[in-house]
Every structure is written in structure tokens, then in C-alpha cells.
Amino acid sequence: MTERASTAAARTPRVGIIGAGPGGLCMAIRLLEAGLDDLVVFERGEGVGGTWYHNRYPGCECDVASHLYSFSFEPYPDWSKPFGTQPEIRAYMEHCAAKYGVTPYLRLGCGVRRADWDAVASCWRVETEAGERFELDFLVGAVGMFGEPVWPQIPGREDFAGTAFHSARWNEGHDLAGERVAVIGSAASAVQLVPVIAREVAHLDVYQRTANWVGPKQDEPYDATRLEGFRRDPGAIRAVRDEIYAGVNALVSYDPAALAVAERAARAAIEVVRDPATRRALTPTHPFGCKRPLISNDWYPTFNRSNVELVTEPIEAITPTGTRLASGEERTYDTLIFATGFETTRFLSAVDVRGPGGRSLSEAWREGAIAYKGVLTAGFPNLFMLYGPNTNNGSILYMIERQVDYALRQIRRVWETGRRTVEVRPEAMFAYNETLQARIAGVDVWQADCHGYYRAPSGRIVTQYPGDMDDYRRLMTESDDDALHLA
């Protein structure tokens, strides 16, 4: 790489993006639109889409309606129904990558092993898992929250002699028809896949640690007339998007009245379960909103099937033939499916990222991930994050667009003023997070003990943003030059 000239006119900055999911694609698109085409996108998978590339379990789809779970600059008229399926969302991401010219900049099957800041050269030195090395002026972490699957720490898990896999790495070559199957976990992935596989397996046990609120889903497929209307009139898509936005914004504001309405709807949905004991076991004891609210029209009816059983007794161990429960009862299975979620609190620290002096992001975050506006973290110059700490609320694609705009603004500001680096001041980051955590403490439902994924081991909530999407937009557009140090 050539020596940095004294003015930005000499060359455009070289930017590296880790991840080709929605965040990485959006960042690449906006950089290219700005004429910043010295760009590389590292993606460990063999295709784009991030979580929508890796998660392929039956029934996988988004729980935010697709006309909002899509980029504002690329409305899509052909969603088959309000909540898009995984194949549709993945195809949409591929479409965006191709249409906006990102494809030539992708390095697929190319995970990042480590990234080190070189303080002398003011650049990031990135090494891939294949041993390739890159020098980058700016680094953007777009790994998101749902990249690394969590495997339960159950004794004997490796001893099972049948077929076993995680829902996030679905074994597409395995046929479940006629098998005895256990799904361990009962949250978002299980709520979607259990109703589908229940139709083909001989017997299905669903292991539940904590009941989840599962509300009804307005998801009737669009008819041909409606789809043609979307194709002819972009304004029709905007109107639907605005309607969805208003509904989502009302819920994520955590207004007690809105939460009460949603909880009543979920309680009504549970009533379809005929067995009283099963119905009680499926009814949460924590307040609605303490954990991620889920939606499905098929989850509760599935427990009326004669071949499906809800198991709430803890698993003591996994045996070569199945499970041994705390009571000593043993159950046999052909296949175990672990629907046990993701490492949601690690964010970019899942990659070995090291700032000045070799200090790792993991070390900086030993008490839990912390960032300024979810995008910058002190001690790591020229490093931006998308879907970073405390940015999860509403439609994440909407939130990501705000983060991308912010990151791009800072990159251009550095380069156009002839500077070399931008970094958030530590005092600004800590002040921001003090206010943020005070606001989080004011969301009553998040203070209940419900074993959700929001908290780091230290107990601090590191995933959620305590405001609605309007609030976050205002935050990301307000002037904050005093919080940043340019050198």
C-alpha cells in the first residue's frame, strides 16, 4: 500500500468490512455510492446474507415484517407474504449485492483470523484464516449478534451415537421422517422449526427451560392483486412500510399499555393448547418483554398433536442413545437438535481484534461489550461496528442504516480533512453508557429474572437499545464532534 499523502485527494481510503450480512452489504453499498471503492468485504461463509445464509432450518423466517426488514433504498415488491422466509431474505440480500455492485469486492469463504492496529502506520493489519494479509485504513465489524451458535454444556453431549446438530447449522442431508427426535430449546428457532418437523417425525420431545411469550402472527400470503399493486406503485410499499414502522415503534417503546395489549394476545393464543398441564407449562411467569417476544400461529397448536410432548424436567446427561433426565428417566432418540441460540453478547470480540499496544477487544470488554452509540469503542482507532453493543431494537435493518450513515460520515470527515484517525474519547463513551444504562434500568420488564440473552456474564444488559427507532435516528444524526478525537 502506498504511503498516505498529506491530502485526501491523493487516494481514497482503503476500507475492510468483516461480514457480508445485512450490515456489511449496507456499508459496502453506501461506500461505493460515495465513490469510496478501495474496498474488501471478508465473509467466512460461501455466500452473502449472514445469519440468513447460515440458518436454513425448516420454517426459518423473520419476525419483523419484510417491508420494514429491508433496506429503505431498495424496496422489494415480491415478498410472498408479510413475514419473509429465509430463502426469500437470502435471495433479497444476493439481489442487493449484485444490483449495487458489491459482488466484485466480496471475499467469500474468507474468515478473519485477527486484526491488529499499527500505530506507526495508522492502519489495520488484517490476517485471514487462509493466511492472506491486508493493510486497511478503516475497519468495519459487521459480524452482528447471531453468528456464533451456543452449544449447551450438558455432560455426555459428544457421546450421542445418533445424529446431532445445531439448528443454526441445519443438516440438510438428514431425513427426519419417521424418527424419534428431541429439540433442546424452546425459543425463537424452536418456535419456527418445531411445527414444521412435527408433521414428519414419529415422535418429538421439545425440551423447555423457560416458557416464552409467543403472540399471534398476521401473515396471510399476499394475493396476486396485492403483489401487482406493489410492483406498479412504489408508494403502496412505502405506505405498508410506514404502517409497520408505526406498529413496531409502539411496541419497542416499552409503553406499559402496548405491552399489556401484546401480553393479552399471547395469553389468548396459549388457550388453544388442550392439555391443562401443558398449557400451564407453556405460560410464562415473567412479564411480556423481559425476553425477546416471539410470534407464531403454529407453535401452540403443535402441542395438541399426539406425537409431540413438552418436557420441562432438566436433562442430567446425554447418553449414547438419548437423554437421562434429573429423575433418572432415560429417553431414546434417533436425532438431537440443539436450538440453543447464539453467543449474543460477544459482538466483534468474536474476532481477535487488537488495538494499540496489542490490547484485545475481549480484554477491553471483560465486564461486557461497551461502545459509543453502538458504533465506536475507546482505544480502537478507525474501527466501526454495525449491530454493535446496545443497538438491538425494532427493525435491525433500519438501525443498521443509521449506523452506516454515521460511520460513513466519520470516514469521510477524517479523509477529507487530511487526518489519519478517528477515535471516541473514553470520557464520552463512558458518559454515553452511563446514561444508556440508566435508561435501561428504567425499562421495568428488563429488570425481571427471565434468563434472556440480553445480559453479559457481568449482569449488564449489552444487547438492547432503550428507545424506539425515532429516538435512535435522532441520536445518530445529532452533532457530536466534541466526543471524537481526530489526529
Side-chain angles (χ1 to χ4, degrees), residues 98-220:
K99 177 176 178 177
Y100 290 92
V102 176
T103 305
Y105 301 91
L106 295 170
R107 300 291 294 254
L108 300 178
C110 183
V112 171
R113 175 178 292 142
R114 63 181 294 162
D116 295 270
W117 176 253
D118 184 329
V120 175
S122 296
C123 72
W124 283 99
R125 299 191 182 277
V126 170
E127 181 182 351
T128 70
E129 291 172 352
E132 297 177 282
R133 289 177 171 81
F134 295 80
E135 293 182 7
L136 305 164
D137 298 299
F138 298 93
L139 187 62
V140 180
V143 299
M145 280 175 49
F146 302 112
E148 296 294 329
V150 167
W151 293 87
Q153 299 303 307
I154 303 174
R157 183 168 61 84
E158 302 296 335
D159 298 333
F160 183 63
T163 301
F165 51 88
H166 197 284
S167 60
R169 301 294 182 266
W170 193 263
N171 186 340
E172 295 179 278
H174 183 67
D175 186 2
L176 296 172
E179 289 194 340
R180 289 184 57 82
V181 177
V183 171
I184 298 173
S186 62
S189 300
V191 163
Q192 293 183 343
L193 72 90
V194 161
V196 179
I197 68 172
R199 302 169 197 152
E200 58 181 297
V201 302
H203 181 81
L204 176 61
D205 281 343
V206 181
Y207 285 81
Q208 174 186 279
R209 181 180 63 173
T210 306
N212 292 275
W213 290 110
V214 184
K217 190 175 190 178
Q218 304 300 317
D219 201 27
E220 285 295 316

Side-chain angles (χ1 to χ4, degrees), residues 245-255 258-259 392-395 399 443 446 464-470:
Y245 183 98
V248 171
N249 229 24
L251 186 59
V252 303
S253 67
Y254 288 87
D255 174 71
L259 293 177
N392 190 44
N393 215 356
S395 170
M399 304 290 273
V443 181
W446 288 348
Q464 301 308 102
Y465 182 72
D468 62 20
M469 293 181 287
D470 290 344

